Amino acid sequence: MSATAAPAAVKPMISIDSISKWYGPVQVLKDCTTQVTKGEVVVVCGPSGSGKSTLIKTVNALEPIQKGSITVDGIGVQAKGTNLPKLRSRVGMVFQHFELFPHLSITDNLTLGQRKVLGRSNEDARTRGLKLLDRVGLSAHAHKYPGQLSGGQQQRVAIARALSMDPIVMLFDEPTSALDPEMVGEVLDVMVNLAREGMTMMVVTHEMGFARKVANRVVFMDRGEIVEDATKDDFFDKPRSDRAQTFLSKILAH
Amino acid sequence: MNYNWNWGVFFDPSPEGVGTYADMLLSGLLWTLATALCSWIIAFALGSIIGVMRTLPSKLANAIGTGYVELFRNIPLLVQMFLWYSVVPEILPQAWGDWLKQLPNASFYTAVVCLGFFTASRVAEQVRTGIETLARGQRMAGTALGLTTAQTYRYVLLPNAYRIILPPLTSEFLNNMKNTSVALTIGLLELTARARSMQEFSSQVFEAFTAATVIYLLISLVVVTLSGLLERRVAVPGSR
Ligand SMILES: Nc1ncnc2c1ncn2[C@@H]1O[C@H](COP(=O)(O)OP(=O)(O)OP(=O)(O)O)[C@@H](O)[C@H]1O
Ligand SMILES: [Mg+2]
């Protein structure tokens, strides 16, 4: 289909296959299909309420689906025998509102999953956690609590927490939209570095600068449908649908 | 009003033969404290389980939790006390019922169980509210890390929920302490019962109930102070 798409032989890291989801009578995902190959960065955008958060949360089964199927690294998310906690531990997730554990120090936030899910020793978890904290530029804050950090700092810790599980893929749900404007940059920088290091990423964001810089593909959603699934250049330069054009003109206007 | 004030009455010998009226009240106080503490242990443990059940993603668990709370919250405590004391031993298998009835201090055990189950329904509501206040985000963050449901409750939801509900739990603890006086109806010689018999024997009604009131107030004061200390002790740095 497009020049930069991975060859068919490459197994997709995330494969979303004709999924549909309803909340009661309301269908919020309509027959959505897309894939993310290893090392790829896919940006998901679209108007509010279009189903972006819902779509990304189906990947690690935080949201159940009623139709279709999803595989992550070849493992069926809906399959009967799948060990969901184990699968989730390999999929890092970053939320709009950070969701650090407020009663735990930054260090403990970074080690809880490693210790309880991966069974790492205290020292091992600590060493790895502090290394990641250094990577997001927050070594000096290890002993603090989430409530003592700024939003941007908390989100960087949240990214480090997700990375502490050695994920094979990272999901981001509007990681910068709850931040004061002056803190958006520091979080995007971390994400850009991550992308350049080859992390497979699926990112819901309206930061088109980020998309232009590191995205391979853009998925555009509207009213529960994937309206456009194109390479970055195709999406920005020649969006096919009217809806995507309208969306782009609005979002690039400000 | 023709009333003979006599504050010295506390040092008069009580009609029990040993000790003074003051000793009698003191023994009532000890039963009150023992009943309050023992029933609170049941209320806290059971209430936490029921409260958690109401927040689990399982219809059956929700139904059991809701049923429990509605049952125990809506029957008057006095009625529950009678049910536990008079009816439960009768509907149990004969041998168990007989064993219960001959138990020394049966009214104490009955009161502990009755208050424990009653207050558990109130603790459960607080625990549920606490967990729901945390919004779905914290649960999702724990789940997304790969924690199991049990681990998410143990390490994420409950530590936060208990911090949030510490003040209302303190009130429930005090309510439970005050509710111990209902147990006088099944013959537990707790503080209120003791004040009442002191009044009957000595006719010094005001002295007896002033003493009881002051003692209840003092317990509340101590509990509120301890709870305040605990709150400061577990406060999370940087939280508002
Ligand atoms: N728990 C829920 N119950 C019922 N409807 C829901 C629920 N969560 C989301 N929805 C609905 O599903 C649709 C998709 O929501 P979703 O949060 O995925 O949108 P979004 O694209 O992430 O929007 P935003 O940009 O505002 O975050 C919306 O219409 C929303 O109202
Ligand atoms: Mg959203």
Side-chain angles (χ1 to χ4, degrees), chain A residues 88 99-100 102-103 116 147 165, chain B residues 138 144-145 151 155 160 236:
Chain A
R88 287 178 177 132
E99 304 299 349
L100 293 179
H103 61 299
K116 301 302 171 190
M165 306 296 283
Chain B
Q138 286 284 299
L145 262 188
Q151 287 175 322
Y155 299 112
N160 280 303
V236 172

Side-chain angles (χ1 to χ4, degrees), chain B residues 82-216:
Chain B
F82 277 121
L83 288 175
W84 283 105
Y85 193 66
S86 318
V87 179
V88 170
E90 299 303 329
I91 57 179
L92 283 177
Q94 178 97 37
W96 295 15
D98 290 345
W99 177 79
L100 271 179
K101 281 184 238 167
Q102 56 76 44
L103 214 57
N105 300 323
S107 57
F108 169 69
Y109 297 115
T110 308
V112 164
V113 170
C114 173
L115 285 166
F117 277 60
F118 173 76
T119 307
S121 68
R122 311 191 50 100
V123 170
E125 282 302 88
Q126 300 297 349
V127 169
R128 176 174 74 102
T129 313
I131 292 171
E132 284 172 356
T133 307
L134 296 172
R136 292 168 68 220
Q138 286 284 299
R139 183 193 296 269
M140 279 199 180
T143 309
L145 262 188
L147 298 176
T148 61
T149 304
Q151 287 175 322
T152 304
Y153 274 88
R154 164 70 184 80
Y155 299 112
V156 178
L157 298 179
L158 286 176
N160 280 303
Y162 283 132
R163 279 185 175 82
I164 295 173
I165 64 172
L166 190 54
L169 274 190
T170 306
S171 329
E172 291 304 343
F173 182 89
L174 289 175
N175 284 336
N176 185 59
M177 189 269 293
K178 289 179 272 184
N179 283 339
T180 55
S181 62
V182 174
L184 73 80
T185 57
I186 58 167
L188 182 67
L189 295 176
E190 47 66 65
L191 185 56
T192 305
R194 289 311 215 172
R196 224 169 57 155
S197 48
M198 172 173 170
Q199 169 243 313
E200 274 162 18
F201 287 116
S202 69
S203 304
Q204 303 299 132
V205 59
F206 287 105
E207 288 83 347
F209 280 97
T210 303
T213 306
V214 168
I215 293 173
Y216 280 121

Side-chain angles (χ1 to χ4, degrees), chain A residues 21 23-24 26-29 46-57 63 96 173-174 204 206 221 224, chain B residues 136:
Chain A
K21 176 181 175 71
Y23 281 116
V26 186
Q27 187 169 9
V28 292
L29 292 178
S48 180
S50 56
K52 310 177 295 290
S53 300
T54 309
L55 178 76
I56 205 167
K57 283 172 184 158
E63 294 287 359
Q96 183 172 2
D173 187 7
E174 303 209 34
V204 176
H206 289 160
M221 293 186 73
Chain B
R136 292 168 68 220

Side-chain angles (χ1 to χ4, degrees), chain A residues 3 11 24 36 61 85 87 105 113 126 129-131 138-139 153 157 159 169 183 199 202 211 218 226 235 243 248:
Chain A
K11 224 175 43 179
V36 183
L87 182 135
S105 69
R126 214 183 136 79
L130 292 180
K131 205 177 274 173
L138 293 170
S139 296
Q153 291 171 327
V157 173
I159 295 173
V169 48
M183 294 172 186
M199 176 60 78
M202 193 166 172
V218 178
I226 293 183
F235 181 75
R243 290 191 259 179
L248 270 177

Side-chain angles (χ1 to χ4, degrees), chain B residues 211-228:
Chain B
T213 306
V214 168
I215 293 173
Y216 280 121
L217 284 177
L218 282 177
I219 301 176
S220 300
L221 202 66
V222 171
V223 169
V224 168
T225 308
L226 288 178
S227 158

Side-chain angles (χ1 to χ4, degrees), chain B residues 63-84:
Chain B
I64 295 174
T66 310
Y68 181 94
V69 169
E70 294 306 329
L71 182 67
F72 283 90
R73 210 174 42 170
N74 290 321
I75 301 176
L77 178 57
L78 192 58
V79 175
Q80 292 190 34
M81 202 61 89
F82 277 121
L83 288 175
W84 283 105

